Amino acid sequence: MYATLMSRVGLPLMLRPTRSRFDRHAKEIRARQFWPAERRRQWQWERLQAIVRHAATTVPFYRERLAAAGLRDGELRSWDDFERIPPTTKDDLEANFPDRMLSDVGDRSDWRWFGTRGTTRRTIVVNDFLKRDLGLAGIMVSMTEDTPYQYGHRCAFIPPDACNALCGVEGLRETSVLRQVGRMALRRSWSDPDALGDLRSLVMNNWVKRQTLLPPFGAEGSEIDDERASWYVAQLRAVRPRLLKALPEYLYGLARHVERTGDRFPPIAVIKPMGALMARPIKDYVERVLGGQVREDYGSSDMGPMAFDCRQRTGMHLFEDLCHFEVVRDGARVADGELGSLLVTELHNRAMPLIRYQIGDVVRVERSPCDCGRTTPRLFTEGRLQNALVRPDRSVLTDAAIGDYLYRQPQVSDYQLVERAGDRFELKVIPRNGDKASGLLAERVRRFIDADAPVRLREVKTIAPEGSGKFCHCKSASYAAFGA
Amino acid sequence: MNVVTAPTVTYDVDRIRRDFPLLVGQEGESPTIYLDSAATSLKPACVIGAVREFYEAETANTGRGVHWLAENVTDRFEAARETIAGWINAQTREVVFVSNCTAAIRMVAEGREWPPCVLVGRSEHHSNDLPWRVRGTTVAVSVDECGAIDLDDMQRCLEAHRPALVAVTMISNALGTVQPVDAIIELAHQFGARVLVDASQAVAHRAIDVEAIGCDFLCFSGHKMCGPSGVGVLHGKENCLAELTDAGFGGGAVEEVHAEGFTAREVPWRLEPGTPNIEGVLGLAVASDYLDGVGMEAIERHVNELAADMVDRLSRLRKVSVHGPPAGQDRGAIVSFSVDGLESHAVARILSQRHRICVRSGYHCAQPLHESLGLPPTVRASLALYTTRHEVDRIVEAVEQLTAAL
Ligand SMILES: Cc1ncc(COP(=O)(O)O)c(C=O)c1O
Ligand SMILES: [Zn+2]
């Protein structure tokens, strides 16, 4: 009832002054999930052609890239044409940003810069209005589709450390919707795109999502002490969010605290890992201890939302109407269900097109039908490319595979596997329940990764976050051999 | 005495650049443009050679042995002290080798009691602020909008607090502001306070004459003046060094040690306990010789011209604000600016990845200064003897291009 009122009446009213049409976009995005695959593919192809043409004619970097690939005017005649375009890497992006990555045409006053401190890099993208509005729509679809969380419900976020202050672009100046409206009235800035953009974000964050932002755990790493954990528990008790989104390690840390101390908060219906892979055993554990359902979505700061899971929870449905997705290895498309590196082409952003952009994740995509009735392919992420071990026979152990194995070991509460030169490995372990991690574990892991030399085992008290604030469970020295 | 070589008539920056391996072979497509010399300077081949020579042919401990390698290195170590003393016009025994500027300041701060309080400017580097703060009361003197110490406020503070010591930075590492050190010292001495001068951002670009400055302590890091990292200098008048009775002691800093007691060596050796950074000290002496050979006046003129040009051109760009002393006023080899709407780290990253320009971004270890002036974190371009006009052109063009895209 509340949800219906909210989406029929509340939402359109709230959005009116912001000029956002994200509720309309969200409806369309939901509907396209059920289109016959062929129809959506045709729809996507037309947009892909248009964005490539736009890039070839108005973006200096792509003008050269496409000409070199024999596509001077950017006219795609076939999928083969498209696959001839070399992938765009983060190096390309950084080496050419901003002047050579931005389109020469379009209304710059309506573009916005988004800075990110990603897992590995600090990249900036520029999005036009449509892209931003579609992004909001995609986020809302992934939060509300098939879940107990609806527009207007409370949610809480615990983002990684380091992202807040150092994201590259100066943030919102105001924190309340009404104050922002007051500010705009005072300055008569109803049509100032920056002010409107801020208003849109505030309406979205404070009213539509009703989000509470909790601070990151901090530099002490994966192990949070009970006193600090209790503070989070108290916050969650007070806020009573219907959805909680946080770094997987934060969720895991909270769950361990709850289990250890019995200090709990009421079950949260939807629990979402953010920003990184959550290993299967950790998902099960978090659900068991915290209650609620772990539901996943996939997006990146440079691309926006890309996929979400349905109630079947068998992979994440790709937003094929927002982006085009490919999975490749050694320069060629892999078969369905095979492991590869994800390339994404954004279909709508005319400010800064990104074509065959290498996200840096290792994934699989299944195209078989899903029981939910959606016809979009499903994505399975297996972790960052940089965290994948490529063995001498070129077989791959991804973050997901390693986590699946190690978190099932009874002595392991948390771990970090480090690959050193010369096929030597070190395993840092936080033992479970204060147990000693045994040499047997080291030997099992050696066999699991098929290493020649013994794995050096080291007990540690915490796993420190990386510069991005996220955690790395496998430091690979061999990932470059993957063939992304 | 300072040996001043006659300044070269025309400053041959290309020749100088050939002395810096990191800059050599850079004439290709997109050379590295190093504008972060205030963080640490590049090293000339002669300094690298001196460090390497010590490792390859001269390794021995200093001040401890009588074999020929030990004797050789002891002589050279003490000769390095002479060289540095000459370079800043100090007495040899007034030069203490420490690990960096921060360590020098800490040695003074911890070497004795400083009742009742210490005055520091609000523009100080954290290294010349926290070592005092943790030891007791400090009073921060106000600065004007360019970061220059307000002498009236300083006088009021001196009257009100009668501090034992005034610690001041010659050139602000955040804004390039040149402090009125002469006036500060005169005023402080009128009130009987000792003065410590942090010359970190001056040594690489300006001739330092401690006699003429009249300070009681002066310190700097070697790595900011083309020398190795891990070595710095504390200069102190002999009686001032001798007063640091809580500092030092240990191997190499004593004459004799018995079960019942010991006799300490005199300063400066008492203040250099343990094996020093020998190769660092040797390299530092070579660095000072090198800078001397180029000519400090010539270097100062060169970087001043370029900095003035950079200030002038950056200030004219849309969405760019240059901070610190206004055009036409004396400033160090530092130009800090901010770009409207873009965080300083983002600007630095774009300059780095798109243009291979290395600049620093953030608060530059001077957060109180930023807070008191209401300044955002800034982008800092800093220059050195090897900086070229072409490099100034490149950063101005790059920032212009960036702001055009905004
Ligand atoms: C003015 C000033 N003082 C002190 C320091 C500290 O020098 P170091 O880190 O070598 O001890 C710096 C370095 O940035 C500085 O610029
Ligand atoms: Zn489904």
Side-chain angles (χ1 to χ4, degrees):
Chain A
M1 177 59 194
Y2 174 76
T4 322
L5 255 181
M6 181 72 188
S7 66
R8 294 263 163 82
V9 186
L11 204 54
L13 270 178
M14 285 179 202
L15 291 183
R16 171 67 82 40
T18 73
R19 303 184 190 178
S20 170
R21 290 159 22 121
F22 95 79
D23 53 337
R24 172 116 52 97
H25 293 313
K27 275 194 199 111
E28 289 168 3
I29 290 171
R30 288 180 214 276
R32 285 188 206 114
Q33 290 282 332
F34 295 92
W35 280 8
E38 211 22 68
R39 175 176 173 205
R40 196 176 44 245
R41 200 169 156 80
Q42 186 54 35
W43 191 95
Q44 190 189 44
W45 173 241
E46 283 157 20
R47 271 140 200 92
L48 194 71
Q49 284 177 307
I51 200 78
V52 170
R53 204 181 301 124
H54 174 74
T57 49
T58 76
V59 178
F61 171 77
Y62 283 116
R63 196 178 286 142
E64 266 170 36
R65 262 284 155 98
L66 292 168
L71 296 162
R72 184 163 306 282
D73 49 4
E75 284 307 329
L76 296 179
R77 274 160 292 266
S78 65
W79 287 101
D80 284 347
D81 277 354
F82 178 68
E83 286 170 18
R84 273 217 309 278
I85 306 171
T88 302
T89 63
K90 289 192 181 177
D91 280 337
D92 290 331
L93 199 160
E94 286 207 297
N96 292 281
F97 186 84
D99 53 305
R100 288 174 45 78
M101 288 314 293
L102 299 185
S103 169
D104 312 327
V105 299
D107 173 9
R108 287 189 179 217
S109 69
D110 221 16
W111 294 1
R112 285 213 139 194
W113 292 42
F114 290 86
T116 67
R117 172 92 198 252
T119 314
T120 50
R121 302 295 176 80
R122 184 189 297 282
T123 52
I124 299 181
V125 292
V126 179
N127 293 340
D128 64 14
F129 180 75
L130 179 62
K131 157 81 183 164
R132 299 199 300 277
D133 224 24
L134 286 170
L136 285 185
I139 288 170
M140 285 318 289
V141 171
S142 33
M143 285 175 80
T144 59
E145 186 83 336
D146 247 9
T147 86
Y149 178 86
Q150 295 302 319
Y151 293 135
H153 287 157
R154 286 176 205 281
C155 62
F157 286 80
I158 319 178
D161 204 2
C163 185
N164 294 332
L166 301 178
C167 273
V169 177
E170 289 176 349
L172 295 178
R173 284 157 284 257
E174 204 42 89
T175 52
S176 117
V177 175
L178 294 178
R179 271 207 299 277
Q180 176 70 8
V181 169
R183 195 185 166 105
M184 290 169 76
L186 208 67
R187 304 191 181 172
R188 300 180 194 288
S189 52
W190 295 113
S191 50
D192 170 15
D194 282 343
L196 264 180
D198 284 1
L199 179 65
R200 210 147 39 224
S201 307
L202 287 168
V203 165
M204 189 69 190
N205 294 345
N206 300 4
W207 289 0
V208 181
K209 292 199 281 185
R210 293 178 77 198
Q211 82 177 25
T212 302
L213 214 53
L214 295 175
F217 278 15
E220 68 264 40
S222 60
E223 299 301 285
I224 179 169
D225 63 39
D226 284 332
E227 192 184 327
R228 221 167 125 61
S230 302
W231 182 85
Y232 284 97
V233 170
Q235 296 296 310
L236 292 171
R237 235 187 255 131
V239 175
R240 290 185 148 271
R242 183 76 66 103
L243 178 150
L244 169 65
K245 190 165 183 172
L247 268 196
E249 288 77 6
Y250 292 178
L251 294 169
Y252 183 40
L254 278 179
R256 273 175 300 162
H257 165 79
V258 167
E259 191 182 42
R260 199 161 52 221
T261 62
D263 173 28
R264 37 177 68 255
F265 44 86
I268 295 172
V270 183
I271 295 177
K272 274 180 180 283
M274 146 194 255
L277 178 87
M278 191 179 222
R280 181 80 251 168
I282 301 300
K283 264 185 227 167
D284 297 343
Y285 175 77
V286 164
E287 282 191 349
R288 181 166 63 71
V289 178
L290 298 186
Q293 248 192 8
V294 172
R295 294 292 297 270
E296 291 178 293
D297 53 34
Y298 180 71
S300 78
S301 38
D302 16 37
M303 276 295 168
M306 291 183 276
F308 67 99
D309 63 3
C310 64
R311 70 177 83 235
Q312 304 294 327
R313 299 201 283 164
T314 46
M316 295 177 271
H317 288 278
L318 287 165
F319 286 126
E320 285 198 311
D321 47 347
L322 299 183
C323 302
H324 170 264
F325 302 92
E326 301 163 83
V327 186
V328 301
R329 192 171 177 195
D330 298 328
R333 212 177 327 148
V334 302
D336 277 5
E338 293 293 313
L339 206 59
S341 152
L342 183 64
L343 301 183
V344 184
T345 304
E346 209 284 331
L347 298 174
H348 305 279
N349 186 18
R350 304 219 145 212
M352 181 172 160
L354 286 172
I355 298 170
R356 306 194 82 207
Y357 182 61
Q358 195 183 82
I359 293 269
D361 278 326
V362 184
V363 305
R364 303 170 196 275
V365 167
E366 287 283 357
R367 287 170 200 277
S368 55
C370 179
D371 289 345
C372 71
R374 290 180 183 79
T375 54
T376 45
R378 284 163 298 138
L379 176 78
F380 298 80
T381 56
E382 297 230 351
R384 300 291 300 165
L385 183 60
Q386 269 157 323
N387 302 344
L389 299 180
V390 183
R391 306 301 298 139
D393 63 357
R394 293 201 80 232
S395 63
V396 179
L397 280 169
T398 60
D399 231 2
I402 298 167
D404 228 18
Y405 182 79
L406 270 165
Y407 283 121
R408 282 185 214 283
Q409 302 300 318
Q411 303 108 309
V412 177
S413 171
D414 214 335
Y415 73 92
Q416 185 180 58
L417 183 63
V418 183
E419 181 180 18
R420 304 209 184 276
D423 206 35
R424 288 176 305 117
F425 289 87
E426 177 179 291
L427 180 65
K428 296 189 219 167
V429 173
I430 302 176
R432 191 172 293 178
N433 308 323
D435 280 1
K436 277 251 159 277
S438 69
L440 197 60
L441 175 66
E443 176 55 19
R444 273 205 218 110
V445 173
R446 188 193 67 75
R447 275 191 231 151
F448 172 69
I449 54 187
D450 193 20
D452 290 332
V455 169
R456 209 180 127 211
L457 192 70
R458 197 149 73 80
E459 274 185 28
V460 296
K461 295 209 164 62
T462 186
I463 309 280
E466 306 292 298
S468 60
K470 296 185 188 176
F471 292 83
C472 170
H473 294 281
C474 178
K475 298 205 162 181
S476 165
S478 54
Y479 70 87
F482 182 86
Chain B
M1 239 330 280
N2 224 355
V3 185
V4 180
T5 40
T8 26
V9 186
T10 50
Y11 190 86
D12 190 352
V13 71
D14 291 329
R15 209 210 72 231
I16 290 169
R17 288 171 77 82
R18 285 199 290 276
D19 295 333
F20 289 80
L22 199 140
L23 298 173
V24 173
Q26 289 274 347
E27 278 70 40
E29 271 282 280
S30 53
T32 300
I33 296 181
Y34 190 75
L35 293 172
D36 197 17
S37 294
T40 200
S41 64
L42 302 180
K43 321 298 173 199
C46 55
V47 169
I48 300 167
V51 173
R52 191 187 168 115
E53 181 75 5
F54 173 74
Y55 285 132
E56 287 185 348
E58 300 171 344
T59 304
N61 209 328
T62 170
R64 284 160 172 79
V66 294
H67 62 77
W68 58 274
L69 277 172
E71 245 176 23
N72 174 47
V73 84
T74 306
D75 288 350
R76 300 208 10 183
F77 190 87
E78 291 306 321
R81 197 187 305 277
E82 283 281 346
T83 306
I84 295 297
W87 194 55
I88 59 174
N89 194 24
Q91 301 304 311
T92 309
R93 292 184 54 179
E94 295 174 344
V95 171
V96 185
F97 289 118
V98 290
S99 58
N100 52 42
C101 182
T102 308
I105 295 168
R106 288 191 48 182
M107 180 172 279
V108 178
E110 294 165 10
R112 54 164 279 198
E113 290 298 318
W114 287 105
C117 72
V118 172
L119 275 174
V120 296
R122 225 179 265 292
S123 53
E124 293 306 311
H125 189 280
H126 297 166
S127 289
N128 193 22
D129 179 352
L130 301 180
W132 306 109
R133 263 202 241 184
V134 298
R135 305 255 316 156
T137 357
T138 56
V139 176
V141 180
S142 320
V143 293
D144 67 15
E145 70 284 358
C146 312
I149 293 217
D150 174 346
L151 290 170
D152 292 333
D153 188 49
M154 176 162 167
Q155 173 139 13
R156 272 191 300 278
C157 291
L158 285 166
E159 278 162 7
H161 302 282
R162 301 272 159 182
L165 187 128
V166 171
V168 64
T169 296
M170 202 173 240
I171 295 177
S172 153
N173 66 303
L175 298 177
T177 317
V178 181
Q179 299 297 359
V181 168
D182 289 343
I184 290 171
I185 292 174
E186 198 182 322
L187 198 55
H189 282 171
Q190 275 171 26
F191 285 84
R194 299 215 190 285
V195 180
L196 174 141
V197 174
D198 172 354
S200 291
Q201 294 300 347
V203 276
H205 322 290
R206 297 185 177 203
I208 302 283
D209 180 337
V210 293
E211 200 60 47
I213 296 170
C215 52
D216 302 285
F217 296 103
L218 181 137
C219 51
F220 54 89
S221 283
H223 68 88
K224 293 193 203 283
M225 49 164 283
C226 301
S229 319
V231 63
V233 170
L234 169 64
H235 157 267
K237 287 187 184 146
E238 215 175 316
N239 63 318
C240 296
L241 288 182
E243 283 168 8
L244 303 178
T245 49
D246 292 348
F249 301 112
V254 281
E255 296 288 359
E256 343 178 345
V257 182
H258 308 287
E260 302 298 297
F262 62 89
T263 31
R265 289 183 75 181
E266 291 175 70
V267 291
W269 300 282
R270 172 167 62 74
L271 298 171
E272 294 174 357
T275 299
N277 178 354
I278 305 169
E279 63 278 25
V281 168
L282 300 182
L284 183 65
V286 172
S288 73
D289 259 346
Y290 176 80
L291 292 175
D292 223 14
V294 178
M296 294 311 291
E297 286 76 12
I299 295 173
E300 180 173 351
R301 215 173 315 119
H302 175 72
V303 293
N304 281 357
E305 260 176 45
L306 295 186
D309 187 36
M310 197 190 286
V311 169
D312 179 47
R313 291 164 65 192
L314 283 176
S315 349
R316 284 194 242 148
L317 298 182
R318 175 181 152 265
K319 291 186 180 243
V320 175
S321 320
V322 177
H323 309 292
Q329 203 166 306
D330 192 19
R331 73 154 67 214
I334 285 169
V335 180
S336 294
F337 61 95
S338 48
V339 175
D340 205 15
L342 261 190
E343 211 230 303
S344 67
H345 292 309
V347 177
R349 185 73 190 178
I350 293 170
L351 292 179
S352 154
Q353 302 313 94
R354 175 78 183 92
H355 304 279
R356 299 188 62 76
I357 298 174
C358 307
V359 292
R360 174 101 186 256
S361 47
Y363 288 118
H364 320 296
C365 300
Q367 205 168 346
L369 171 69
H370 286 79
E371 281 171 5
S372 69
L373 298 183
L375 283 182
T378 63
V379 182
R380 179 184 76 181
S382 53
L383 301 79
L385 68 159
Y386 39 71
T387 307
T388 62
R389 189 161 293 278
H390 171 71
E391 291 177 318
V392 175
D393 293 344
R394 294 285 294 127
I395 188 173
V396 172
E397 286 158 16
V399 175
E400 183 170 21
Q401 193 183 72
L402 171 59
T403 53
L406 271 168

